[in-house]
Every structure is written in C-alpha cells, then in structure tokens.
Amino acid sequence: MSDTYTAPGAQQFIPPQADTLAELRAAATGCRGCELYRDASQTVFGRGDATARIVFVGEQPGDMEDQKGLPFVGPAGRLLRRAVDDAGLDPSHIYLTNAVKHFRFELRGRRRIHQTPDRVHIAACRPWLVSEFAQLNPEVVVVLGATAAKALLGPTFRVTRQRGELLPWPAAAQHPEDFQRVPVDNAGRTADAPPARLLATIHPSAVLRADNQEIAYDGLVADLTVAARVLAA
Ligand code: SF4
C-alpha cells in the first residue's frame, strides 16, 4: 500500500450514542473504514470488562485471532498470558485490544503472512481505540510495540528508548484530549480522567522472533512487573 493511499476512516461507523463496549463491538463488525476488512475474516474488537484496571493495546489481530474473532488468542497471546502471570498481574483486571482491528496479511501460497499495518490503517482505525477508551477507566495503559505506540503516543515515540518507564496518562498521549473523559456510571455520565499511568513495552510477538527468547521474555516480564507495582500500590 503506497503512502498516498487514503482511507475514509472508522469514525462514520461509530454510533454516536454508543455507551457500552458491547454496542461498539457490534458496530465494529460492519466497519469499512479502510480496505483491510476486504481480505480479513472479521473485525477483532477488544476483549475484557469496562471496569478493567489495566488496558493492553497491541498491534493488530494475527491469523488465529482473525479466525476466532478474539484478540491475543494466538502464540503471541499465549506468551503474553504467561508474562502477565509471571509479572503478578491479575488477568481478570485486563482489557485487551489492538490499534488496528482487522488482520493485515500477504498471501504466500496458502499461507497468510502478517504485514505490519501502515500509518493510514493506524489512523483509519484509531477512532475505535478512542471510543473504547471512552468506556474504560484504567489505572495503567500498557502499549505493546511500535504500532500501538504510534496510535496512542505519536510517530516520534520510541518503545526501545522508553520501555518500562511510567508516563502520565492521558497527558503522555499525542492527543490527550481524546482520552480526557472517562465514564463514571452506567447512565452515560463522564468525568475528567483521574491521573493514570502509561507504560510501553515490546509486543509479545517480538519475543517469539527474538534471537534470544529468554532474555526478551525476561525483559517483557520486567516491564509488566512495573505495571503490577502500580496496581499494588
Ligand atoms: S482495520 Fe479498522 S478502520 Fe480498517 S476496516 Fe477494520 S475496523 Fe475499520
């Protein structure tokens, strides 16, 4: 996809009155905000409870996620679950989502090979991420890898340089105003977001690709342990 490609974006598919994650999830099934819906099997929306204390944002669904319609159910998701356990995070407190909600891939024979989403896909899909956050009130946001960092923190953020560092949320976002309001009840009332934290780390798929998986895995767990300490404080 060339850099000149433009996409209409997801905004027009988001019901303006939606006030639950379930409504957003249902609406996202019909998203045509960029061309990725054409080849993928289905939209893979976020998973978890609106009361989640920690929100993980990954890149995009993989092959397995695309087939099952759920995020983080493939090999990278399994590794992330193990890392969550090893870091002492309670999995029931987690909401999992991706910056891009359709699987981008290239066909090689019968194999579907993951392709990193382009800037245009990240921008097109970002309204879904913003709408999810409008239903969530996390104490910690964990950014998994460069694509999620681009979606939330902008193109200049470098995960390799700032991983494991606690940043103020939503102040650290590229557009904090998009994340300023959080829900306070089920009647649609909102309030200014209380101070929360953001932490960036590597995507679990980077551990699977690493030359030394053990070191990469330990690094991921060390970063997640920082998040666990915030929740325990
Ligand atoms: S990737 Fe995002 S913007 Fe593109 S069609 Fe899917 S849900 Fe819509």
Side-chain angles (χ1 to χ4, degrees):
M1 189 58 52
S2 83
D3 260 6
T4 51
Y5 167 75
T6 56
Q11 193 61 55
Q12 60 187 301
F13 298 94
I14 299 178
Q17 303 306 331
D19 55 11
T20 65
L21 288 166
E23 280 175 71
L24 292 171
R25 187 175 295 111
T29 60
C31 186
R32 306 284 182 265
C34 72
E35 91 289 359
L36 293 185
Y37 77 91
R38 283 194 217 132
D39 295 330
S41 311
Q42 57 191 315
T43 308
V44 180
F45 205 71
R47 174 162 69 142
D49 203 87
T51 58
R53 298 180 70 195
I54 178 161
V55 172
F56 281 88
V57 182
E59 183 197 70
Q60 64 164 359
D63 186 61
M64 190 86 81
E65 286 84 5
D66 173 75
Q67 291 172 45
K68 300 218 160 140
L70 292 168
F72 291 97
V73 291
R78 274 197 298 280
L79 187 135
L80 180 63
R81 274 197 297 283
R82 183 154 66 89
V84 159
D85 276 350
D86 287 345
L89 285 165
D90 181 343
S92 69
H93 290 155
I94 291 173
Y95 183 86
L96 290 163
T97 194
N98 283 304
V100 172
K101 310 275 193 266
H102 273 105
F103 178 34
R104 186 179 193 220
F105 61 92
E106 183 181 68
L107 265 184
R108 279 195 216 144
R110 291 169 64 179
R111 291 183 62 212
R112 304 194 302 172
I113 308 297
H114 164 277
Q115 271 197 302
T116 303
D118 279 341
R119 208 168 30 166
V120 69
H121 305 121
I122 299 169
C125 214
R126 191 175 174 280
W128 286 120
L129 197 54
V130 172
S131 72
E132 284 174 291
F133 270 97
Q135 304 302 325
L136 296 162
N137 191 358
E139 291 161 61
V140 184
V141 176
V142 177
V143 166
L144 297 168
T147 297
K150 278 186 195 132
L152 286 181
L153 305 169
T156 56
F157 187 89
R158 292 285 169 271
V159 174
T160 43
R161 232 180 278 151
Q162 284 191 271
R163 62 179 290 184
E165 205 178 295
L166 285 172
L167 301 170
W169 175 260
Q174 186 188 19
H175 298 289
E177 65 280 9
D178 287 345
F179 306 98
Q180 215 80 61
R181 303 293 291 175
V182 296
V184 287
D185 59 22
N186 293 333
R189 277 190 285 266
T190 62
D192 279 343
R197 300 302 194 93
L198 176 137
L199 176 142
T201 186
I202 54 171
H203 193 280
S205 63
V207 176
L208 296 172
R209 287 194 307 267
D211 291 336
N212 190 326
Q213 292 195 5
E214 203 175 321
I215 290 179
Y217 179 78
D218 289 348
L220 174 63
V221 172
D223 291 343
L224 297 185
T225 304
V226 176
R229 277 198 221 108
V230 173
L231 296 190

